[in-house]
C-alpha cells in the first residue's frame, strides 16, 4: 500500500503543499517518502527512507521549486533494497521523461517486462512501477495517448500520479481498484488549481475541495490550461478494493461516495444484528476496530467502552525484552483496563489475518478477569491473498484460509467468534456488489491472477546481471 | 509533569526493565529521558534529550549493569537549558551521593536553597529537584532519617524515586499530590522484587503486580533485605492532584483506588446529568475527551461517535505552512468527519486552558456543516495556576480565570457551553473531597503558595555568577 | 572548484568504483557529493550534502546498479540553496535526458540562459551547469554533435562528465582551463574499461592507468564499443589554470605532463634563487606550502623544518571561543614549534589571498621568539579574481590587488616578503607560457570576462517567480 | 592511550576551556570524549562516543557550569562495551565522590580489585581506572593523603586528573611513565589559574603558559587557595615512556624538557649516521616519519622530499572495496609520487609494529618504479608489548619479536632495513638512560609485569554476575 499526491499550480509552493498532503497520507506508508517537481520542464526528485517529516526539511523543500509536484509515501517492504524502491520513480525514455508514484500492484509485470525487453528497454530488478513509467516514456504518441496505450498493456491495480511533459497526470486501472480523488484548491488570487490524492483526507488537510474521483480507466492530464480528461479504457465493472473501507483508508476519507467512518459504523451495526451477544460491554481493538465497535454498541444497546489502551509511542524501538519480561507477557502495545474484570465482553476488530495478535489480546483480557470474550469481526474471513497491493500474507499464512470459524475460535481462544457476512459487509458500503473487489474474502478476482496463490512467487526477482 | 520509575533486583537486568517501564510513562514527558543504576555501590547515569527509544540503544543499556535502577521522563520545558534539566539528577554530598528523579514541584525552593547556602551548599541554577537531593546527600543521618529530615523542610509536590547508599528509595510529599505506586515483580526463580512507578500502567507493561500506593509522607527504602517503610511525616490531609484523574494519567492506570478510565466515564455521565443537551451525536476531542464522551453518551442516550479524526503522526515536523495554507485552515492535527453535517453535536473535552484550540475545533465543525455545537467540559473552569508541576499557564493566560461561562462560550463560539460542577467531578472520583487537590478549580491550595499567582515569577533564576 | 569522475563498464560495480574515486577527489569539494548511474538506459541519481563517506552507505550503493556512473564532489558555496546545487544535475530535454557533473564556471551563462529562454527552455535559478545540460538535452542531433553544438555556445571553463543515451561523455572547454584525465581500468577478465577523472590521483586510487588528458575542445563518448573522440572545437591556445599547479590539485596528480609535486618543488627552488634570504630554517605553511618549502631549502641550502604544526581535526566544530580565549590568541589550527625561538625563519606558502591568515601566523611566530620572519610566496601576487571556478574573492578583497609588495609586507608584519616572478612560476611548470591561464596574476583572461570584476555581480540571481 | 585535561578557575568558562584543550589532545584518542565539572560541589559529567566536536554542542557546554573541569579523550578499544569505558569516570565512595580521567594502565588491577572486594567495594567489569577512583573515594583521609595512600597500592602507569571535594587533583605514578604538564592561564582580570594537560600543545592552544611537569609520585591539589603539592611517593627512577617521543606525542609538545619535534629530527640525524644509504631522496611515511626524515636528510645530505601523499579524509568509511578493486591494490590512504620512478629511496618511519603496512608501502613504491627502497626506522625493533597503556599488540603479533633484522627486511621486501640503535634513540632525547621506559625495545620494565607477555591475558574479565 502507498499514498500518492499531485498538484499543478503556477501560484503555489507546490512542494510544500505536497509535503502537507503526504503528511495526511502517512498512514498509507511509513517506510519512505518522496516528492518530484517540474519547474518549467526541469525535473527534480528527492526521495529517501523515513517518515515525511524525516525526509524533508526547509532547505530541501526550498530546493524543489516548480509548478507541478507529485509525492509518494511507501509501505514497508521486506527483502528488496528499500532505497531502490523509494518513489517517485523517474524513467527517461525515448519519447519523454516520466516521474511516477504508484499505489497498487500489477499482476502481469513479467509480461510487460518481456514486451519491453523485446523493444530493447531493460528494467530494474524490483519494481512493477517502472514498467508503467517505461511504457509511457518510450511511446512517442502525445501524452494522453501514450498513457492510454500503456494502460492497454497493464493488468492489475494502479492508481497513479505522474509528471511528464511538464504536466500532471493521474490515471486509474479500469477496475478502479485503488482510490484516487480529484480536488480543487482555491488560491489567494481567487483562481483554482487541481490536485490529486489517494484519499480525500489529504484534500481536507490542505484546504482543497473534493471534486470527484478519477474514474476507472480515466486519464486526467492537468496543465496550465486546466484539466483534460480521456476515458482511455472502457469503464467496465468497477472493483474498488473493499478492504480500503474495512481497514486501510482513514475514517475521515470518502471513497466511492461513502465516508469510511460511517461505513465502518454500519458494518458494526450489521454485525450486531447478524451475530448478537449477551454481554456487558462492547470494546474495540483500537484504532482499527473503533468505528465498528461504536456501531455494534448502537445496534445492540450494549454499552460501548474502551477496553484496551494503546501505547501511542509504540514504533521504532529496537530494544528487545529479555526472557523474564517475555515470560511475564510484556504489554508494549496494548494494556487492558481493570474494569473488564468480571465482565462479559464483545471485542470488535476489522479483520483477522494471522490470528496471533488476536490470540494474545484475548488471553490478556481473560487474565484481566474478563468473564467472557466474544470476538466480532466486521468483515468476513480472509481466505485468499491480495494481488493488488495489500501485503497481507500468503494464502498459507492466512489463518482463515484453511480453518472453519469454529477452528478459528479455538485458535484465538475466544468464548465465541463471529464474522460479518459478505452481504452484511456489502450492505454497509451501500455500494452495488458489482462495484467492489472482495477477492480476499471470495477468491473471485476482477482480473487474471496467478494460478499459484503464493505471494512469494510473485515477488520480482532481480534480473541476472 | 514527569514520569518516574525505580527497581531493586539482584536477578533482573534492571536497566532494561526501567527502559520498558519508562516506555509506558512516555506520555508523562517527551523532552528527555534518563536511567541511573547502582552496581554494588557504583553509580552510572545516562540521560539525554529525546524520547526513551531515542536516548537508549542496546550498547547503552548494556553499559548500565546494576541491582538498582531509577528512570525519569521529563516534560518539555521552555527557556532554561534543557540538557541541564534532564534527570535522574545526581548530587554528591558530604554524607552520600544521591541520584534522584522528581515528579512535582516545590513551592519553597528559595527557602531551601537559602538554608542550604547558609551551610555552604550551593545549588545549580534551575532546579528544585537538586535542593531535595542536596538535603539528603549532606545529612549524615541514616538514609531513612536523612530523607525524613529533608521532607520536613520541603513544601509543595514531590513524588520521588532515588538511589542512595545502594538502595532504592521512594517518598511522597505529605499531601500525596503526585501519584507513586509500589509494585512487585515476580522473577523466573520464584522470588519477588519491588518496583516503584508514577503510574500503574508501567507496572502492567513489565508484568508487575500492583501492591499499594506509597502513602503521603511515607518513605520506602528497598534493599536486599526487602522493603522498609517509615511514615516520615504525619499523614495529613491527602491532596492527590485531581487533574491526574481529569487529564494527565493514562486511562489504564489506577489512582487512589480508582481506575482513571472509569472515573472519566463517570465524569461524562454526571456531566450529561448536570448539563443535558438536545443533540444527535456525542463526540470527544480525541484522545483526552474520549472516556467522558462515552460516559455522556451512556447517560444521555445520545449516540456516541468519533467526529474529529486525529493525525497520529503529528509531532516533530518543523515545516511551516505558507500563508495560503494558513488562510485555508490547514488541518494538521484534527479533521472533522463529513457525517457531522446537519447534526446537532455534543463535543466533550476534559478541560479548556487557553481556549484557542477549542475555538478552532468549534469553527471547523461549523464549517463542516454542524447545525449546533454544544461543548461540554468534564471538569470545572480552570481559574488558578498549578504550583505543583503541571505547567498549565499563568493566571492571566487561563481563559476562564477572568471570564464567566457565557463569556467563555462566546470566546469559543459554541452553541452552548457547560462545565462539570465541582461536586460532579468530585463524585466521579468517588474520593472524599478532603483527599484531593482541586486548587486549579477552587484557588484553595493544600500548601502555602506565592501571593502573586504568576508562574513566571516562580521560575528559578540563575544565581549570580 | 569541484571534482568529477566517470566510468563505463559492463563488468564492474560502477557506483562502487565511483565512490572510491570521489574519495580521492574529496579535496576538490567537501560540501556535497553525488553519483548518477545508468542501468541499460535507466538513470538513478543520489546526491546529498556532506562528505562522500557521509552521503553513501552500503544500501545506497547497492541501489545504484548500472554500466555507467558519474560522480561529483562540490566545494562549499555560500548564499544559494546548497541542496539545490548538489550534482550530478539531471536535465530532461526534448531530445534526451542528461546527467552531468561540472568542474569550472561559465562566463556567459546569462547569454545561454537567454537563448534557451527564447526557445522556451527555462532554467533554474542558481546554476550555470544546468545551461550546459539543457543545450545537450534539447538538441535532437546525435550525442557527439549535440555536445559539440552546445560547446559552440559556451564561454568560460568547463570540464565535464555526463551521462546521456546510456553513454559516458567527457568534454572540456577549448582552452582546457580545468583538468580532465582519461584512464583505463583493467578488469579481472582481462578486458579494459575507460574512466574519466578530474585528477590522476583518482585513477591511482582505483588502480586505473593514466591514458592521456581529454584535449581542450575534445568530446569523448564512451559506450560498449569503446572510446569515440571528436575534436568539437578547434584546439586553440590551451589555458590550463596555473592555480591548479600552484595550490588546488593534489600533489600526486599529474597535470599537462607534469606531476604537481615536482612543479611546486621547482617553484620553491626558483623562489630561492630569485629571492634568497639569510636564515636558519625554511618552513612551510602546511600543507599547501610544503613542496615549495622543500624546494626552497634544496636550492638555498637552508635546512628544511616543520615549524607550524597543524591540528588534523580542525573542521566542523561550531563551538566558539569566548572573549578570554580569543584575547589569548587561541591556536585552533596551527601551533608554532618552540625551536623557532631565536631563529631567522623563511616561511613559504603558495599564495596570499586576503592576508589575514598570514598576518596571524607571522605574529604567532614572532611571539614564539622568531628573530626574523621572511615570507616567501611561490606564486606572484594575486591581483584579479577568477571567473573560471575558483572562488578566491572579489577584486577588492584581494589584498595584493591594490597594494605594493612593500605594503603587503607591512600588512602581514613580516621581516621581508617576496613573491615568485611570473617567469619563475611559468618556468617551474615547464609549460609554454601560451598554454596556461594566469589571469589572476596578470589580468589577462583567455576568454571574454565581465567588465566589472566583481564576483558578486556574477552570481546568478533567481529568476523572478 | 588517552588525553587528559583539568582546570580550576573561578573566572573562566571551565567547560569551554576544557573543550578546546581536548581538541588539541584529540590525537590521543578519537573513540570517546567527556568533560566533568564541579560547580561549588555539584558534579556534572557528560561523556559519549565520538570526537570532541561530535560529543559537545553549545547547549551541552552551557549545561556544564562550574569552577573545576576535567576532560578526557579515549583511544579506540576493542571488545569491551565502548560506552561503559568513556571517561571521566565517577565513583561515589564512603568518603567522597571522585571524577577521574586516566592516561596509562595499571599492572596490578586484579590485586587492587581483590583488596577492594575484601572491603566490600565491588568494581565494574572492564576498568582499571575505577580501581583508582574507588581507593580515593573510600578513604576517609584528607584528599591529598587519600590520593597518596591510593598511590601506594597502585602499580603501573597513571597520569591522572581528578575532581574531588570540589578540587582539581593531578597525580602521576612514581615512574612518571605517562606525561602530565602543569600550566598557568592568565585571566582577563590579571589573575592566574592552574591547568593540567597530557601535553603542552593543549596549553598552547588555550593560551596557557607551561609551568613545569607534575613530578613522578607527586600529587597536586588545586583549589581556590592555589596549588598544593605533596611528594606522595619517593621520586624514584623516572621512566617516561620513550615511545611518546618516538611516536605518540604531538611534535609541538615538550616532554621532559625536550620539544618532541626536535627529538625526532635528531633521531633521524643519528639514524643517518648509524645507517647511511646511497640514495637520491629521503622520504617520510607521513605524518609519523616526517621529522626523522627531515633529520636524516640534514645529516646525510640526501635531498628531502615527500614521496607518499596521504589522503586526509581517510577515516570512517565503512564501504568495502570489491575484489576487483582489492586485486588492483586500492590506495585508500597513501599514493606514491611519480617522481620516485628510477630513484633510490630512503623511506623513514618511526617504528614497525606488525609489518604489514610497511610491506604494502614498499611494494607500492617498487611498483611506482623505485630503483631501491631503503627503509630506516627511527627507533629500535619493538620486541615486547607495552603494559602501560599503548595498545601495540601482543608479543606474538610484534613482527620483530621473533625475527632478525634481515628477516624483517625480507618480510617488508625492502632493499635494506636499519633501525636506530638504543643508544642513538636515547641520545636523541638528551635524557639520561635511567629516566625513560624503553621496555618495548629492551624487555626491561620499570615495574613488575605479568610473566606471560600476552596482552589478551591482561584484559579484565567481567566479574561473574
Amino acid at each position: 500500500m502507498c499514498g500518492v499526491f499531485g498538484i499543478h499550480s503556477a501560484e503555489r509552493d507546490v512542494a510544500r503543499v505536497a509535503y502537507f498532503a503526504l503528511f495526511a497520507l502517512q498512514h498509507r506508508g511509513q517506510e519512505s517518502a518522496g516528492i518530484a517537481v517540474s519547474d518549467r520542464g526541469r525535473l527534480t526528485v528527492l526521495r529517501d527512507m523515513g517518515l515525511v517529516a524525516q525526509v524533508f526539511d526547509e532547505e530541501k523543500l526550498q530546493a524543489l521549486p516548480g509548478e507541478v509536484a507529485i509525492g509518494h509515501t511507501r509501505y514497508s517492504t521486506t527483502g528488496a533494497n528499500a532505497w531502490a524502491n523509494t518513489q517517485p520513480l523517474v524513467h527517461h525514455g525515448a519519447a519523454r521523461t516520466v516521474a511516477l508514484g504508484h499505489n497498487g500492484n500489477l499482476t502481469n509485470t513479467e509480461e510487460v517486462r518481456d514486451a519491453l525487453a523485446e523493444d530493447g528497454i531493460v528494467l530494474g530488478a524490483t519494481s512493477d512501477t517502472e514498467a508503467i513509467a517505461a511504457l509511457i516514456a518510450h511511446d512517442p504518441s502525445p501524452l494522453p495517448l501514450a498513457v492510454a496505450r500503456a494502460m492497454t498493456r497493464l493488468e492489475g491495480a494502479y492508481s497513479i500520479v505522474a509528471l511528464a511533459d511538464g504536466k500532471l497526470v493521474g490515471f486509474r486501472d479500469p477496475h478502479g481498484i485503488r482510490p484516487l480523488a480529484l480536488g480543487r484548491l482555491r488560491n489567494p488570487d481567487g483562481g483554482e488549481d487541481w490536485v490529486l490524492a489517494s484519499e480525500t483526507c489529504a484534500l481536507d488537510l490542505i484546504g482543497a475541495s473534493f471534486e470527484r474521483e478519477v474514474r476507472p480507466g480515466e486519464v486526467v492530464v492537468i496543465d496550465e490550461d486546466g484539466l483534460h480528461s480521456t476515458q482511455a479504457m472502457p469503464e467496465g465493472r468497477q472493483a474498488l478494493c473493499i478492504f480500503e473501507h474495512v481497514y486501510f483508508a482513514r475514517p475521515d476519507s470518502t471513497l466511492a461516495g461513502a465516508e469510511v467512518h460511517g461505513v465502518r459504523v454500519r458494518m458494526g451495526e450489521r454485525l450486531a444484528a447478524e451475530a448478537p451477544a449477551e454481554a456487558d460491554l462492547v470494546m474495540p481493538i483500537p484504532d482499527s476496530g473503533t468505528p465498528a465497535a461504536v456501531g455494534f454498541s448502537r445496534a445492540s444497546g450494549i454499552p460501548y467502552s474502551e477496553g484496551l489502551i494503546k501505547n501511542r509511542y509504540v514504533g521504532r524501538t529496537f530494544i528487545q525484552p529479555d526472557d523474564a519480561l517475555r515470560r511475564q507477557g510484556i504489554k508494549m502495545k496494548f494494556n487492558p483496563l481493570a474494569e473488564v474484570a468480571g465482565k462479559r465482553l464483545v471485542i470488535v476488530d476489522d479483520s483477522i489475518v494471522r490470528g496471533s495478535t488476536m490470540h494474545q489480546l484475548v488471553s490478556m483480557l481473560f487474565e484481566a478477569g474478563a468473564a467472557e470474550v466474544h470476538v466480532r469481526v466486521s468483515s468476513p474471513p480472509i481466505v485468499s491473498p491480495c494481488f493488488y497491493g495489500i501485503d497481507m500474507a500468503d494464502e498459507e499464512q492466512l489463518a482463515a484460509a484453511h480453518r472453519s470459524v469454529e477452528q478459528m475460535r479455538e485458535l484465538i481462544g475466544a468464548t465465541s467468534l463471529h464474522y460479518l457476512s459478505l452481504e452484511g459487509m456489502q450492505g454497509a458500503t451501500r455500494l452495488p456488489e458489482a462495484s467492489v473487489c472482495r477477492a480476499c474474502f471470495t477468491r473471485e478476482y476482477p482480473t487474471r491472477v496467478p494460478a499459484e496463490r503464493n505471494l512469494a512467487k510473485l515477488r520480482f526477482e532481480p534480473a541476472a546481471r
Side-chain angles (χ1 to χ4, degrees), chain A:
Chain A
M1 286 298 291
C2 302
V4 297
F5 177 78
I7 176 171
H8 183 290
S9 171
E11 305 296 320
R12 306 289 292 257
D13 181 347
V14 291
R16 191 172 304 264
V17 176
Y19 173 88
F20 284 109
L22 292 180
F23 202 78
L25 299 172
Q26 187 77 79
H27 66 291
R28 294 183 77 86
Q30 295 92 46
E31 187 186 74
S32 67
I35 293 175
V37 291
S38 172
D39 181 14
R40 290 158 295 175
R42 302 167 54 246
L43 187 66
T44 309
V45 189
L46 204 164
R47 53 197 175 100
D48 211 342
M49 309 304 296
L51 297 175
V52 177
Q54 292 168 326
V55 171
F56 295 96
D57 58 23
E58 262 300 329
E59 184 179 34
K60 289 183 174 174
L61 275 191
Q62 287 170 12
L64 296 169
E67 64 287 333
V68 196
I70 61 172
H72 189 267
T73 62
R74 184 179 177 82
Y75 217 68
S76 179
T77 53
T78 49
N81 182 293
W83 196 91
N85 278 322
T86 57
Q87 296 192 19
L89 171 150
V90 179
H91 194 91
H92 315 283
R96 60 177 62 79
T97 292
V98 176
L100 191 148
H102 177 201
N103 177 22
N105 205 56
L106 297 192
T107 52
N108 70 331
T109 308
E110 287 309 315
E111 288 174 22
V112 179
R113 289 168 61 96
D114 292 348
L116 283 164
E118 280 178 29
D119 296 344
I121 299 158
V122 189
L123 301 187
T126 55
S127 164
D128 57 341
T129 303
E130 189 173 19
I132 307 173
L135 287 172
I136 302 168
H138 287 281
D139 189 326
S141 317
L143 183 58
L145 184 54
V147 174
R149 286 160 51 112
M151 289 166 72
T152 64
R153 299 171 71 173
L154 305 176
E155 291 184 14
Y158 50 91
S159 279
I160 282 174
V161 292
L163 201 163
D165 299 356
K167 298 164 198 238
L168 172 62
V169 186
F171 56 101
R172 213 172 158 200
D173 65 73
H175 298 289
I177 297 173
R178 295 277 148 238
L180 189 60
L182 181 66
R184 268 200 277 207
L185 191 58
R186 186 174 298 272
N187 289 327
D189 65 357
E192 286 188 330
D193 290 314
W194 293 102
V195 296
L196 293 163
S198 284
E199 295 185 30
T200 62
C201 66
L203 304 183
D204 295 341
L205 187 143
I206 61 170
S209 60
F210 171 62
E211 183 71 12
R212 63 174 176 85
E213 298 195 345
V214 174
R215 281 185 296 272
E218 181 186 12
V219 180
V220 296
V221 175
I222 297 160
D223 58 20
E224 60 277 19
D225 300 325
L227 178 87
H228 313 272
S229 166
T230 310
Q231 189 63 36
M233 303 278 283
E235 192 174 350
R237 118 156 175 64
Q238 179 156 6
L240 175 67
C241 167
I242 203 165
F243 212 70
E244 293 272 355
H245 268 306
V246 168
Y247 168 77
F248 210 81
R250 241 173 68 169
D252 48 337
S253 288
T254 294
L255 291 178
E259 192 171 42
V260 171
H261 185 267
V263 171
R264 292 181 187 164
V265 171
R266 289 194 295 273
M267 287 172 175
E269 291 170 344
R270 285 174 177 258
L271 185 56
E274 293 185 6
E278 289 285 314
D280 304 309
L281 289 173
V282 176
M283 295 176 164
I285 309 294
D287 297 321
S288 54
T290 300
V294 167
F296 196 103
S297 166
R298 280 190 202 167
S300 64
I302 306 172
Y304 171 87
S305 180
E306 299 176 288
L308 291 159
I309 300 301
K310 189 172 179 178
N311 186 332
R312 298 291 171 196
Y313 300 92
V314 160
R316 307 205 154 222
T317 172
F318 299 109
I319 301 295
Q320 293 300 314
D322 55 16
D323 285 348
L325 282 165
R326 237 180 241 115
R327 260 192 303 272
Q328 276 148 6
I330 186 166
K331 300 193 184 99
M332 290 297 286
K333 192 166 179 186
F334 293 107
N335 192 26
L337 292 177
E339 67 187 49
V340 304
K343 299 275 172 42
R344 297 167 302 164
L345 308 176
V346 174
I347 300 300
V348 183
D349 205 358
D350 66 289
S351 57
I352 299 176
V353 178
R354 283 177 174 78
S356 49
T357 301
M358 185 58 88
H359 170 77
Q360 283 171 30
L361 294 177
V362 170
S363 304
M364 202 183 273
L365 289 165
F366 277 125
E367 279 165 33
E372 301 174 2
V373 180
H374 302 274
V375 174
R376 294 296 178 269
V377 181
S378 61
S379 64
I382 299 176
V383 295
S384 202
C386 178
F387 299 103
Y388 306 125
I390 295 186
D391 192 12
M392 292 168 163
D394 290 347
E395 187 163 349
E396 63 192 49
Q397 298 166 313
L398 293 169
H402 308 292
R403 280 185 182 83
S404 68
V405 172
E406 171 56 18
Q407 287 169 325
M408 284 297 293
R409 189 200 61 72
E410 280 176 29
L411 180 74
I412 64 174
T415 309
S416 74
L417 167 67
H418 287 284
Y419 289 89
L420 182 60
S421 69
L422 206 56
E423 297 67 34
M425 175 178 67
Q426 190 69 49
T429 65
R430 296 183 180 161
L431 297 172
E433 181 181 326
S435 73
V436 295
C437 172
R438 317 185 300 188
C440 55
F441 304 117
T442 64
R443 297 194 175 93
E444 295 165 19
Y445 294 88
T447 70
R448 290 189 306 156
V449 290
E452 277 202 75
R453 290 176 184 174
N454 186 318
L455 278 181
K457 302 254 169 75
L458 281 189
R459 297 272 155 67
F460 310 114
E461 298 302 317
R465 294 181 52 81

